[in-house]
């Protein structure tokens, strides 16, 4: 059993895609081990994306995740922990490549992502490795809010 962190990004929230995204992951046999609405602070987002530190686009990505480009003034992100065999790799495969223009057309990012203001508005975040998943779950959830 493996856990992975999913974030429904502001573009997908604006498009009301949350149910569709979740149903896709549930159809893989994964179970929901944690779920909440988070009013994400800039500090949390910068910690979450510390792999982007020093890149020319990190500030724009943080602004995007704060909802600035999708008319979401509450800074809201929907955060989920999914659990199941090989969850990290299977969710990433369903998501497709980071760049929505390069993602396979049948993947979530291929279907729903776009590039605006130089930011890849790619609908959903998912952890890249099991180690990354555990780091990110600890950032977004307290231990008692999520199944082990
Ligand atoms: N991103 C972007 N331009 C880039 C690289 C990344 O806008 O050239 C954004 C995009 O929203 C991406 C996020 O920053 O999902 C995190 O980047 P990462 O390389 O970790 O990609 P991911 O793990 O999300 O596929
Ligand atoms: Mg990443």
């Amino acid at each position: 059993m493996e856990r992975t962190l999913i974030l429904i990004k502001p573009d997908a929230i604006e498009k009301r895609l949350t149910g569709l995204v979740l149903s896709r992951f549930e159809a893989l046999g994964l179970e929901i081990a944690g779920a909440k609405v988070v009013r994400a602070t800039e500090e949390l987002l910068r910690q979450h994306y510390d792999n982007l530190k020093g890149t020319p686009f990190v500030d724009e990505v943080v602004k995007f995740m704060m909802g600035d480009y999708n008319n979401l003034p509450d800074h809201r992100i929907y955060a989920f922990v999914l659990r199941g065999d090989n969850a990290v790799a299977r969710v990433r495969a369903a998501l497709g490549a980071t760049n929505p223009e390069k993602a396979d057309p049948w993947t979530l990012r291929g279907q729903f992502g776009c590039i605006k203001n130089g930011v890849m508005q790619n609908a959903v975040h998912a952890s890249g490795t099991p180690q990354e998943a555990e780091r990110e779950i600890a950032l977004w959830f307290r231990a008692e809010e999520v199944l082990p």
Side-chain angles (χ1 to χ4, degrees):
M1 285 277 261
E2 192 174 80
R3 302 192 300 176
T4 189
L5 181 85
I6 299 297
L7 301 176
I8 307 294
K9 297 189 182 190
D11 58 321
I13 295 176
E14 186 180 33
K15 292 173 182 168
R16 310 308 197 256
L17 289 172
T18 305
L20 183 150
V21 169
L22 283 180
S23 70
R24 212 86 139 225
F25 295 144
E26 282 198 313
L28 296 176
L30 300 174
E31 58 175 346
I32 295 172
K36 62 176 168 180
V37 178
V38 183
R39 301 194 67 201
T41 61
E42 181 174 344
E43 187 193 0
L44 171 60
L45 291 166
R46 287 195 187 274
Q47 283 181 285
H48 175 77
Y49 278 136
D50 73 348
N51 65 313
L52 302 183
K53 205 171 167 181
T55 65
F57 49 83
V58 64
D59 290 348
E60 290 299 295
V61 171
V62 169
K63 275 176 82 174
F64 159 56
M65 294 295 283
M66 299 283 290
D68 287 10
Y69 298 132
N70 302 96
N71 202 28
L72 288 177
D74 291 324
H75 300 173
R76 102 181 89 134
I77 298 278
Y78 302 152
F80 296 92
V81 176
L82 301 180
R83 188 171 75 168
D85 289 335
N86 209 13
V88 170
R90 289 165 72 216
V91 165
R92 287 287 291 211
L95 219 55
T98 304
N99 183 338
E101 292 177 359
K102 297 199 173 132
D104 286 323
W106 54 86
T107 61
L108 286 165
R109 286 171 167 179
Q111 285 183 317
F112 302 114
C114 65
I115 301 180
K116 278 188 195 159
N117 309 99
V119 178
M120 293 168 186
Q121 299 197 4
N122 52 15
V124 183
H125 165 83
S127 309
T129 66
Q131 291 76 9
E132 207 175 278
E134 290 306 316
R135 185 190 82 90
E136 292 173 353
I137 290 166
L139 265 182
W140 289 83
F141 287 85
R142 295 199 305 270
E144 67 270 22
E145 291 176 329
V146 59
L147 303 176

